[in-house]
Amino acid sequence: MKKIFYSFFATIFSALMLVGCEDVPAPYLNPNSGEGGSEEVTGEYLNETFNSSFGKFEALSAADGGFDWIIKFNCAVGTGYQDGVNKASASYLVSPEMNLGASKGALLQFEYQLGYANNPGNDKVYITDNYTGDPKTTAWTDITGTLETVATWGTWSIYNYNIPAAFIGKSNVRIAFYFDAPETRSKTWEIRNVVVKEGVSPNGDVPNGTVVTEEDGSQEKPFTVTNALIQEAKTGVWVKGYIVGYVYGQKIADGKVFGSDTCTVQTNLLIASTPDEKDYTKCMPVQLPKGDIRTGLNLKDNKGNIRQEVLLLGDLATYYGVPGVKNVTAAVLNGKVVGKDPNAEPAYKKVVAIAEGKYVLGAVKDGATHAVALPLDAAKNYGFLNTTDVTVAGDALTTDVANEFTFTKADGGYTIQDASGRYYYMSGTYDSFQVSASLPAADYVWEVTFNDQGNVLIKNVGKGKTIQFSTKYNSFGAYTDITNVLPILFKK
């Protein structure tokens, strides 16, 4: 009888499930649409910047009369030397309780600087699942490893450590930072941006850190893939790696392909720090947007790109559920720029009307060759404007943005400032320019008009002198009589 009942119940339940799902469309994602997979986004158990306070951390002394952790320079600072005084000190900085009961793996990350490393003392990273309320009586597990020491302040390292398996699944986990120092000399340990999050480092434990200022995401110091994998989300950074393959399908674990021979995918790449990498957890997927980037980099049409080093300008963001590179706007492959050249000088076009904005001041020297005015050197507060030669084509030229001058409306005309914000004005009987970081008291207003030939007349209202280019001295000055070459204004 029971078997009949269970059979009947199973039949009814199945029917209900079919009816309930009948109007629900099946999920579908084009595996090669370039949008990536749908793997779960992981969460955070702890996130404290120490920018202005300890947050939910507690600074607890372990030495009578000594110094505790303090907040300074937008970070937590542990040192036995404060305000010119050394003291024998010991202090814990204890985190709030974290529930890792449902965790499958968690990662501890923070940025730090450790200075005066030759001085005595200890600096430790601890973890426990049995906090007594007193750090001195708590049984801690040491997960410090070897900390990098700083040669120059401002060089932050990243601590990157997988939470030990013994603490995964526990509901009462805490970490702590500890320092001690003798009375005579002390190290200084600065910590910021402490995060504990679900997931594990694809590169394993790196307790000794990765110096982030050695790779800052600039074109000159791009992130390697190894470093980029442990960065937070960032926009507009450079990443350097080797093209090792691509992803076919919705998940990188199932769809990774190393090589290019059979590639039919145009929308993504896999890059790694070494050209022969075959471990996908040490790779980053790269989204290839439509246009020159996709055309020039994809392995379907460019099979020879495999194992080639590439430099990418884009955003560090989750792609295929893992750290990746998206929104790529430029790339350098085999010494050639693909996409928009970020180093290309901006183009400026000749104008014959004035409005507030940024302009380049030029003058005809010989045919298409023009002299472009350079701002005064930062160390100078007066002088004539030196020049650099450029070629004008179709009433347009290119030059560095540092050569821009900003014209801003003022009573009776305009003020003129260079790219560093200094005001240009005149003083006494000199034909040269004076500069000031703040608005001068007088003779800083310039009247701007144009003649029928398209030249600009920029006259100092107070002194009655007009800016001109001297072919004799190859420089710009302001003169009472118009006997030199009148300039031309160019604007982006």
Side-chain angles (χ1 to χ4, degrees):
M1 182 67 182
K2 287 182 178 179
K3 291 183 178 179
I4 296 173
F5 175 80
Y6 290 144
S7 177
F8 175 78
F9 179 81
T11 301
I12 296 299
F13 181 79
S14 298
L16 289 172
M17 289 297 292
L18 287 171
V19 172
C21 295
E22 185 176 347
D23 295 325
V24 180
Y28 177 77
L29 178 67
N30 183 345
N32 300 307
S33 65
E35 297 304 318
S38 56
E39 297 173 14
E40 183 179 355
V41 178
T42 57
E44 292 181 344
Y45 300 103
L46 179 68
N47 190 329
E48 182 53 61
T49 64
F50 296 138
N51 184 60
S52 59
S53 72
F54 290 123
K56 294 183 179 180
F57 276 72
E58 283 188 283
L60 301 169
S61 179
D64 293 337
F67 291 125
D68 286 334
W69 287 88
I70 59 173
I71 296 296
K72 194 174 183 179
F73 310 122
N74 302 115
C75 61
V77 180
T79 180
Y81 179 81
Q82 295 181 26
D83 300 322
V85 177
N86 277 299
K87 288 186 179 181
S89 303
S91 181
Y92 291 83
L93 187 56
V94 182
S95 79
E97 188 173 271
M98 296 176 288
N99 185 353
L100 304 184
S103 175
K104 295 181 180 179
L107 176 68
L108 167 62
Q109 289 181 330
F110 60 87
E111 297 175 31
Y112 69 94
Q113 298 186 103
L114 181 60
Y116 311 111
N118 292 327
N119 290 341
N122 295 289
D123 301 274
K124 298 291 185 180
V125 184
Y126 290 137
I127 189 169
T128 187
D129 62 351
N130 189 21
Y131 184 62
T132 66
D134 182 351
K136 293 182 290 184
T137 63
T138 296
W140 296 99
T141 298
D142 188 342
I143 57 172
T144 309
T146 303
L147 299 174
E148 291 284 346
T149 57
V150 63
T152 304
W153 288 107
T155 304
W156 291 88
S157 297
I158 291 181
Y159 180 102
N160 185 62
Y161 201 90
N162 294 324
I163 298 294
F167 300 94
I168 301 301
K170 301 294 182 65
S171 61
N172 52 352
V173 178
R174 294 176 189 259
I175 61 169
F177 303 106
Y178 170 83
F179 84 91
D180 64 38
E183 186 174 2
T184 52
R185 302 188 308 278
S186 174
K187 301 176 185 178
T188 296
W189 195 16
E190 298 183 354
I191 296 173
R192 67 185 185 187
N193 298 328
V194 180
V195 175
V196 176
K197 59 185 179 181
E198 183 71 2
V200 296
S201 168
N203 302 304
D205 300 330
V206 192
N208 61 322
T210 302
V211 180
V212 294
T213 52
E214 291 297 324
E215 298 175 10
D216 57 13
S218 65
Q219 188 171 5
E220 295 74 22
K221 298 178 181 179
F223 291 123
T224 59
V225 172
T226 301
N227 236 352
L229 282 167
I230 60 174
Q231 299 295 321
E232 298 296 323
K234 298 180 185 295
T235 59
V237 296
W238 288 90
V239 179
K240 178 176 67 175
Y242 291 91
I243 299 173
V244 296
Y246 59 98
V247 180
Y248 183 88
Q250 298 182 28
K251 295 185 177 182
I252 188 171
D254 302 328
K256 70 215 181 273
V257 180
F258 296 102
S260 62
D261 291 346
T262 61
C263 182
T264 59
V265 176
Q266 295 177 307
T267 56
N268 71 75
L269 295 173
L270 281 177
I271 61 172
S273 289
T274 58
D276 299 310
E277 185 61 68
K278 295 295 189 293
D279 182 349
Y280 79 90
T281 66
K282 297 181 180 179
C283 301
M284 297 187 82
V286 179
Q287 184 185 55
L288 301 178
K290 290 181 179 179
D292 292 341
I293 297 295
R294 182 179 295 182
T295 300
L297 298 184
N298 83 83
L299 288 175
K300 177 185 176 182
D301 304 315
N302 307 279
K303 299 191 186 302
N305 286 352
I306 196 69
R307 303 181 78 252
Q308 297 297 309
E309 188 177 57
V310 66
L311 194 61
L312 302 166
L313 176 59
D315 300 339
L316 298 182
T318 299
Y319 185 42
Y320 280 98
V322 298
V325 184
K326 301 178 74 173
N327 304 317
V328 177
T329 57
V332 180
L333 180 69
N334 297 323
K336 296 182 179 180
V337 175
V338 181
K340 182 180 179 181
D341 186 352
N343 300 312
E345 293 180 332
Y348 298 84
K349 195 167 182 66
K350 178 181 177 180
V351 296
V352 292
I354 186 68
E356 287 191 327
K358 296 179 179 180
Y359 297 85
V360 169
L361 192 65
V364 177
K365 287 185 69 175
D366 181 18
T369 302
H370 284 51
V372 166
L374 304 177
L376 285 174
D377 291 341
K380 295 182 178 180
N381 54 19
Y382 69 91
F384 293 91
L385 302 187
N386 292 326
T387 64
T388 183
D389 287 351
V390 301
T391 299
V392 173
D395 283 340
L397 60 81
T398 58
T399 190
D400 195 287
V401 293
N403 301 331
E404 290 180 342
F405 291 89
T406 300
F407 286 67
T408 305
K409 283 185 179 180
D411 289 342
Y414 292 82
T415 61
I416 300 176
Q417 294 170 269
D418 62 22
S420 63
R422 296 178 301 174
Y423 290 89
Y424 283 63
Y425 68 104
M426 302 200 74
S427 178
T429 60
Y430 299 108
D431 296 330
S432 58
F433 301 94
Q434 307 283 321
V435 292
S436 172
S438 58
L439 190 67
D443 299 331
Y444 59 85
V445 177
W446 301 84
E447 179 186 81
V448 183
T449 58
F450 292 82
N451 64 20
D452 293 339
Q453 289 73 46
N455 299 98
V456 63
L457 291 85
I458 306 173
K459 180 186 289 187
N460 186 275
V461 174
K463 298 299 183 182
K465 295 185 176 184
T466 301
I467 295 177
Q468 302 165 56
F469 172 69
S470 169
T471 55
K472 179 179 180 180
Y473 298 107
N474 200 35
S475 65
F476 284 88
Y479 307 95
T480 302
D481 298 325
I482 301 178
T483 58
N484 296 290
V485 180
L486 287 171
I488 299 169
L489 277 185
F490 297 83
K491 188 177 184 181
K492 275 194 285 191

